[in-house]
Amino acid sequence: MTQPVLRSIIVGLGCALPKRIVSNADLEKFLETSDAWIVQRTGIRQRHIAGEDERTSSLATQAARAALADAGVSAADIDLIIVATTTPDYTFPAVATQVQADLGNAAGVAFDLQAVCSGFVFALATADKFLASGSHRRALVIGADTLSRILDWQDRATCVLFGDGAGAIVLEAREGKGTSADRGVLTTHLRSDGRFRDKLYADGGPSSTGTSGRVRMQGREVFRLAVTMISDVVEAAFAATGTTPEDLDWFVPHQANSRIIDASAEKLAIAPRKVVKTVDLHGNTTAASIPLALNVARDDGRIKAGDLVMIEAMGGGFTWGAALIRW
Ligand code: ACO
């Protein structure tokens, strides 16, 4: 017997990208790398990089405004704002409270959440718990990062991979029947294992060096572990909802590397035509990559109301997670 439940429905979606586009050819000008190497190893062709006048909070606010307009609601209708980010404007206060102020929202609660590349999935899962409990009605979930600010631009093994951006969704609590035919977030699965810290980390922070540090990564190790971890949470989401890869309309993974995406889809028996890839356009935008990809696939007509959409991510920590959503 299924029970009526509160489901978190995506009613609005928006994004923001920095003005400046940096191509692989631009990187060749100051780095010993090549367009051919980057495209062959990662699928990335360009990324947007934030200028001095662009910050994580300004990109997040721009994406939030677009999502509110898309949903046809105003900032006053929002009672929860969660920003997933690893690159806040300041150590404190949170980017989310800055966004709240920029939007002119004084009624709700706003906080940041940090799970690096998995941040958007973690923030979505957190907002879903608030909405499903009935404590809050309408949430803005934002993934926003300017990782370019903490890259080592001399380290060709990391700096070519990342870009900046923000994506936002408006989630609204509505009653569902408690079956996988419901619209909204059907299930979420989050994991972490801090023993993998040294594979991907920043080598500084407020309490250690007093600086933000720079991104350090054992790329090959991350690659090796990513596919297994991603498959683990995606399979858990299928099992929890009694759905299969055949039922899926769209697979919208975190956009880290085209080869990780392809290998994960293949292991999970998800048909290539169902895989949404934007890594060529944006690079790895950390917490922003999934909502940016959702935005592209919704705007070009691929994702439609009623479609079954799987999102997943894996990142520093390690953290990893998946969510199954009926659009
Ligand atoms: N241009 C040219 N050559 C390069 C570059 C570059 N930008 N970067 C590294 N190389 C060289 C290396 O120095 C090495 O040279 P060597 O053989 O003379 O020593 C050679 O290329 C091979 O290096 P590897 O690191 O073994 O290359 P690999 O095939 O593993 O590709 C990459 C590297 C693309 C980083 C890959 O390991 C990867 O994508 N890993 C996943 C990392 C990732 O996506 N992290 C994002 C965050 S985590 C997440 O979101 C899942």
Side-chain angles (χ1 to χ4, degrees), residues 18-54:
K19 291 183 282 295
R20 182 168 159 238
I21 295 175
V22 175
S23 68
N24 293 343
D26 293 329
L27 298 179
E28 286 176 6
K29 289 174 195 154
F30 66 93
L31 210 56
E32 200 182 316
T33 188
S34 67
D35 175 59
W37 191 96
I38 299 170
V39 171
Q40 194 259 325
R41 302 285 177 128
T42 72
I44 299 166
R45 292 181 185 278
Q46 62 171 46
R47 70 286 293 143
H48 291 246
I49 299 292
E52 276 176 26
D53 59 334
E54 293 167 314

Side-chain angles (χ1 to χ4, degrees), residues 92-285:
F92 76 90
V95 172
T97 53
Q98 183 63 54
V99 171
Q100 185 189 27
D102 292 344
L103 294 176
N105 173 300
V109 60
F111 59 90
D112 286 0
L113 183 154
Q114 206 263 68
V116 207
C117 293
S118 312
F120 185 76
V121 180
F122 276 55
L124 176 86
T126 305
D128 179 50
K129 310 264 183 235
F130 275 76
L131 266 53
S133 77
S135 68
H136 292 68
R137 265 187 55 76
R138 212 176 276 115
L140 259 173
V141 178
I142 306 169
D145 269 302
T146 49
L147 215 77
S148 66
R149 304 278 212 251
I150 60 163
L151 292 173
D152 175 350
W153 285 97
Q154 308 302 317
D155 177 12
R156 65 179 183 171
T158 53
C159 74
V160 304
L161 303 175
F162 295 94
D164 302 330
I169 56 171
V170 177
L171 277 182
E172 189 173 289
R174 288 189 201 160
E175 206 163 279
K177 292 193 169 68
T179 73
S180 62
D182 285 348
R183 280 189 70 199
V185 177
L186 301 177
T187 191
T188 60
H189 298 267
L190 307 182
R191 308 253 199 284
S192 62
D193 188 337
R195 290 173 300 176
F196 291 105
R197 177 197 182 279
D198 288 348
K199 309 267 180 242
L200 179 55
Y201 64 102
D203 62 3
S207 168
S208 53
T209 59
T211 65
S212 58
R214 292 287 175 265
V215 173
R216 305 293 170 209
M217 179 174 70
Q218 297 173 25
R220 197 165 270 197
E221 282 291 284
V222 175
F223 195 110
R224 191 175 63 78
L225 293 158
V227 177
T228 309
M229 290 176 160
I230 289 163
S231 304
D232 163 48
V233 279
V234 170
E235 278 164 358
F238 280 132
T241 50
T243 56
T244 67
E246 286 78 50
D247 299 322
L248 202 64
D249 293 293
W250 302 109
F251 181 53
V252 188
H254 167 54
Q255 307 286 317
N257 180 312
S258 192
R259 290 188 298 146
I260 294 178
I261 295 173
D262 292 344
S264 306
E266 192 183 341
K267 186 163 194 282
L268 289 159
I270 296 171
R273 69 185 155 78
K274 298 181 177 181
V275 180
V276 174
K277 266 199 227 178
T278 51
V279 67
D280 55 332
L281 298 172
H282 305 146
N284 179 349
T285 53

